[in-house]
Each structure stands twice: as structure tokens, then as C-alpha cells.
Amino acid sequence: MHDIKNPLVSVIVPNYNYAKYLPLRIETIIKQSFNDFELILLDDASSDDSVKILRLYQEVDKRVSCVMVNDYNSGSPFKQWQKGIELARGKYIWIAESDDYADFSFLAKTVSLMEQHPTAAYCFTGSYIVDEVGNMLDKDMDRWTKKQQNNLMKYKLFSGTNYAAKNLYWTNYVYNASGVLFRKSSSLKIFNTRWATMRYCGDWWFWTFMALQGDVIEVYERLNNFRQHSQSVTIDSKQDDEAYGACIKECIDLTWTLENYLPLSIYKRLLCYGNYYKDIKRKNIRNEIKQNLLNELEERCYMIKTAYYLERVNKALSGVFPFLCRIKTERCR
């Protein structure tokens, strides 16, 4: 029986100006086949009708344990994550982003797996990619192999450290928080690290250091719908350049920090920095920002040109020699 004072799961919905998506988001939470959860609704000073909608659900569903509205915008979604974790009373936490929506079996399947595997820090599912009005897009962010697709158990358990070294060192492999259920006790172990103060890469930092707290479960079912918004055209290219520069600096800082925690060869480290170098050199941004980023790289890797050439050779040969490292990176696109 559901106990609002001692729920097994805490569902956190951080919202900012997504009133038009909130009804579907919340409906696909309260109609979950698993219902032993509390629902924490957070609003980051929205200027639309979001708060009105959140208050309405608080009135009609007792599982809504609180609605918290900021007086001013925090400027970072990760600060809202942190606030929700602090409020959460559940053993497990689901950060359900306000513009996404879920399959009704999401919690039933992920909670079951986490209960079966007490060493797991988190599990994450596949996602359908949809547009603003819910149309499914021809985009695959999971890129499962045939072996993964044919997995009879529909999931696999990985060592968190190995998972971080193979996947999360290169890019934010856990691409959408709405597809993840994680253990609160694991998140508290990284509560004082930098992730909540970051503007762009806090989620990458969070999932990577969470992986270092235990095992990781990949679920080979698409139980989440990840909404992609069309890119708005802006005339303020100066602001865009500065945002890209700030994002890449956070990425480089995370990469540098991870090298103290992961078993990485010199070869892989050089490949990673060479890939950064390639991306920055090719990016159409102001010379001042580009040079600052290149200087940042040289401080981290004094053989940066060698790293770049190694990455290029590795890229050319990886299609012929499958044992070579294949880099998967999508940073600050």
C-alpha cells in the first residue's frame, strides 16, 4: 500500500515555462502501473501558467508531496535537481523533465531491476525521440547493437567504473535524465561535487560520478519519450560563441578530473584531447574564444598536436581495425 510519508520512489519534476507540456508529463507519472511514489513539483520562476497547473495537480492527487516555486530563476537546471534530491524521501529518484513523457510501465520495470541489483547506482532506458507536438522523429540516440536488441533479458549490468571509462569519459552517454532511475544513497555521496554549480555539463558530471558509486544497468526497451525542440535562430552570435566556449571549458574540466578516477591509458587520453582539438579548430567561432580554448587544451595536454594527429589516424583506421578505439562524442552541439 502506498505510504506518502515513506515512499519507495521520489519523482521530481523540475519545470521552467513548459506549461503546455505539463499535463501530459504529469499524467504519465500519476498513471504509472507502479504507484508507491511521491511527486515533487518544482518551478523555477516560470512566467507562463505552469504554477497554476502544478497547484491543480497538488489538489487532485495526494501523492504530490510538495510544490515549490522559486521567487527568481536559478539560472541552472542542476540546482533544481539538487533541491529535489534534498527534498526526496524515497529510496530511488526519478528526475522526470517537464517536457518529456513516459511509458506507463517505466517505474515498474526500472524499480524491479534496481531491487534485483542492490549494487546498481542507476539504470537507464532507451527513449523515443519526439518533436514539440509529439511526432516521433527519425533519430536514434540509443544506437543499440544487434546483440543488445536481441538480449532476451532486455537489460545488462555493467561495472560502473568500466562503464565510465568506456562511455562516459568521452561524452554524456546518459543523454536524458527522464530515462533514468537512480539510488538516492548513491547521489548523496557526490552531493558536494561541482555538478550542481555547472551551467552546461552538470548532468554529464552527475551521471559519471554516479557510475563510480556502483554498477550501471542498461535497459534495452524504450520507456521514455525525449522531446527535441527545433533550434531557434538567433542574431546574437557573440552570445552563442561565449556559450560554446563556456560549455567546452566545463567539458575539458570534467575530462581532466576524471583522469584521477578512471583506469585510462595514455593512448585514450591523447585520443580524447585530440578530439577536442579537432572540434574546436573546426568550430566557426570568434578567434579570441577559439584561441582561449586551445590554450586551455595545451595546459592539460602538452602534446596537443601529437594528440590531434593520433586521433585523425585512429579515426581513419578504426573502420578497418575494429580493435581500435571508436570515439563517440557529442559535446556542446
Side-chain angles (χ1 to χ4, degrees):
M1 187 173 179
H2 176 68
D3 179 4
I4 189 65
K5 294 182 179 180
N6 191 32
L8 188 59
V9 177
S10 294
V11 184
I12 301 165
V13 178
N15 173 73
Y16 176 64
N17 280 347
Y18 277 145
K20 62 182 179 179
Y21 299 129
L22 280 174
L24 178 60
R25 168 75 282 179
I26 298 175
E27 288 293 323
T28 62
I29 294 172
I30 64 178
K31 293 180 179 178
Q32 288 286 306
S33 58
F34 176 95
N35 61 21
D36 185 8
F37 64 83
E38 65 172 339
L39 182 53
I40 299 170
L41 304 175
L42 306 177
D43 187 82
D44 206 6
S46 293
S47 58
D48 61 8
D49 290 332
S50 291
V51 176
K52 181 179 179 181
I53 295 171
L54 297 178
R55 297 291 187 196
L56 176 63
Y57 278 100
Q58 186 179 34
E59 293 175 2
V60 300
D61 197 307
K62 293 181 179 179
R63 290 171 296 184
V64 179
S65 59
C66 71
V67 174
M68 294 197 66
V69 181
N70 288 345
D71 293 330
Y72 55 88
N73 186 265
S74 68
S76 170
F78 311 122
K79 291 180 180 178
Q80 293 294 90
W81 288 22
Q82 186 177 52
K83 179 184 291 186
I85 292 171
E86 288 174 336
L87 293 168
R89 293 176 290 185
K91 179 180 179 181
Y92 304 114
I93 296 177
W94 174 24
I95 297 177
E97 301 285 10
S98 57
D99 54 337
D100 300 327
Y101 54 102
D103 185 278
F104 294 142
S105 67
F106 176 87
L107 280 179
K109 292 181 177 180
T110 55
V111 169
S112 175
L113 287 172
M114 292 293 285
E115 290 283 86
Q116 290 177 49
H117 300 283
T119 59
Y122 62 86
C123 70
F124 75 99
T125 77
S127 296
Y128 293 108
I129 312 303
V130 299
D131 64 13
E132 289 98 327
V133 295
N135 295 319
M136 196 173 300
L137 300 177
D138 185 19
K139 186 176 183 181
D140 180 7
M141 296 185 71
D142 297 306
R143 301 186 181 113
W144 292 329
T145 64
K146 287 185 178 180
K147 184 177 180 180
Q148 290 170 320
Q149 292 172 349
N150 296 329
N151 185 313
L152 295 178
M153 297 181 69
K154 297 298 183 182
Y155 79 92
K156 186 173 180 180
L157 182 72
F158 297 87
S159 155
T161 299
N162 292 340
Y163 196 83
K166 182 180 178 181
N167 297 313
L168 291 161
Y169 174 67
W170 305 97
T171 189
N172 187 11
Y173 200 77
V174 183
Y175 58 86
N176 181 225
S178 296
V180 185
L181 184 76
F182 62 91
R183 200 174 299 273
K184 180 179 178 180
S185 59
S186 298
S187 70
L188 294 178
K189 294 177 183 178
I190 63 168
F191 217 63
N192 294 322
T193 57
R194 278 197 56 204
W195 66 271
T197 64
M198 301 179 89
R199 179 66 182 89
Y200 302 97
C201 300
D203 52 346
W204 184 4
W205 191 291
F206 183 81
W207 301 126
T208 303
F209 279 90
M210 279 288 288
L212 298 180
Q213 307 309 313
D215 295 329
V216 174
I217 302 171
E218 280 188 352
V219 182
Y220 304 122
E221 294 184 81
R222 292 188 169 95
L223 305 176
N224 177 51
N225 294 275
F226 179 25
R227 200 182 300 274
Q228 299 280 282
H229 301 274
S230 60
Q231 297 294 320
S232 59
V233 178
T234 177
I235 60 173
D236 192 356
S237 60
K238 178 179 179 181
Q239 184 177 6
D240 286 348
D241 288 357
E242 291 174 350
Y244 175 81
C247 179
I248 288 294
K249 284 185 177 181
E250 287 189 0
C251 292
I252 294 172
D253 189 29
L254 173 56
T255 298
W256 178 257
T257 302
L258 283 177
E259 292 176 356
N260 295 316
Y261 294 89
L262 300 177
L264 299 163
S265 65
I266 295 297
Y267 166 68
K268 288 187 176 180
R269 297 183 188 196
L270 289 174
L271 283 183
C272 187
Y273 286 108
N275 186 261
Y276 273 118
Y277 185 88
K278 178 205 69 177
D279 286 350
I280 294 168
K281 289 287 284 187
R282 292 181 178 182
K283 187 70 174 179
N284 184 22
I285 55 176
R286 299 202 319 273
N287 288 334
E288 177 188 358
I289 293 176
K290 180 174 291 189
Q291 191 56 54
N292 286 339
L293 291 174
L294 294 176
N295 292 341
E296 181 84 11
L297 278 180
E298 289 180 1
E299 289 181 8
R300 310 291 190 180
C301 177
Y302 68 91
M303 298 192 309
I304 193 61
K305 291 289 184 66
T306 300
Y308 167 70
Y309 293 128
L310 180 64
E311 190 275 340
R312 291 290 77 202
V313 171
N314 183 87
K315 174 70 173 177
L317 296 179
S318 60
V320 180
F321 301 104
F323 58 85
L324 290 175
C325 183
R326 295 193 178 188
I327 303 174
K328 303 173 184 177
T329 57
E330 290 186 21
R331 311 182 191 105
C332 308
R333 303 298 187 189

